[in-house]
Amino acid sequence: MLAAYEGWQADAYRLTFGCEGEHGCQRRTALGIRPAIARFGRSMTDRGIAKRLRCSGCRGRNIGVQVTTDTRGTVTRERDGPAPETRADFASPA
């Protein structure tokens, strides 16, 4: 459950999703823990999110997920905030 990563750990980890399988395009994208909780809720699991996703490149549904760490130091994370590629600024359609 995503709730396990809340608190100080939320900025140290991220979910990395990849288009996998025989016909997958191997596209990868990252999503920070905080945006994932905001979008899917505290009780969602990483595999639960992966089951809901579709690749934006090839439209495939075989999505794998890994929990990866932000390799920047604590001071850098605190100063700069979440890595830009993990912010997932979900915009509402206008």
Side-chain angles (χ1 to χ4, degrees):
M1 291 181 22
L2 296 178
Y5 296 101
E6 282 186 310
W8 65 271
Q9 296 178 342
D11 292 328
Y13 294 96
R14 61 181 163 228
L15 303 173
T16 302
F17 298 96
C19 182
E20 299 178 348
E22 185 177 332
H23 302 289
C25 67
Q26 308 307 314
R27 180 181 296 250
R28 297 241 176 257
T29 189
L31 177 63
I33 298 296
R34 290 184 200 278
I37 290 172
R39 177 73 176 198
F40 299 102
R42 298 177 70 240
S43 62
M44 180 61 78
T45 63
D46 52 0
R47 291 180 191 218
I49 295 172
K51 287 180 182 178
R52 293 178 174 208
L53 299 179
R54 179 183 302 270
C55 178
S56 62
C58 69
R59 308 300 293 163
R61 299 282 305 207
N62 191 3
I63 306 297
V65 61
Q66 292 179 327
V67 177
T68 55
T69 60
D70 187 345
T71 57
R72 301 175 303 154
T74 304
V75 173
T76 304
R77 280 195 313 269
E78 289 174 358
R79 182 188 67 222
D80 299 340
E85 65 271 15
T86 66
R87 291 186 187 147
D89 296 325
F90 293 106
S92 302

